Amino acid sequence: MDLEVIVPAYNEATRLPDTLRAAVDYLAGLPLTSRVVVVDNGSVDGTAAVVDQLDTGSVEVVVIGCSRPGKGAAVRRGLLTSSARFVGFVDADLSTPLDTLARAVAELTSGAEAAIASRHAPGASFVHPRSLGRKVGGSAFRALARPLVTKVRDTQCGFKFFQRSAVQSALLRCRVDGFAFDVELLRQVQADGGRIVELPVAWRDDTRSTFRPLRDGLASFTALLRLYRGAHR
């Protein structure tokens, strides 16, 4: 398998069918063998059943479970089960345009260990204006994450692809299960000498996002502080 696309999903039965059809249609047009792996992160709305019922044509779509809560736990489960040359994950809302995938594969083929979408790299944009709270919270998070993952402007965009060998090696040292998972993973890729390429995107925020700025933001900042303590030790 050339490419596996991981989609972490928690109670995504409503929007997942459209997401998977769009992903399958796009992947079918690439000159690669590919598969989509949905990681059901303890959903109670029939997410797994919805995936099983879809007719996805030439691109295989499978669903696996992850009983441990947290997006990081679900993504880790999907990445570690992969045997493809390239593997990565996208958000279930497809806030990042799918055509970013072709650029990511090109960078990985050229030797990068990671190719990640960025909302803050030169040339990137937000399709919809963000709330003041999100702007302030995002700026503070990026400032704290910058010393941990150097020369990367946006650690949190939910679109990241990797050389499988590089990401699976890095994951062996990752412990965070929540939204700060991305920071720890990219930090470990850099610790192994891996090159990370940022791809500017036009990012479209989905109002149905499961991220809650107060609840999840506080947890993310707490996880960052733990990473700082670990780095100091």
Side-chain angles (χ1 to χ4, degrees), residues 96-115:
T96 301
L98 277 171
D99 59 10
T100 311
L101 191 50
R103 290 190 283 151
V105 170
E107 293 291 350
L108 296 172
T109 302
S110 296
E113 276 69 35

Side-chain angles (χ1 to χ4, degrees), residues 16 23 32 83 85 98 102 114 150 202 230:
L16 201 52
L32 303 166
S83 59
R85 179 185 177 190
L98 277 171
T150 60

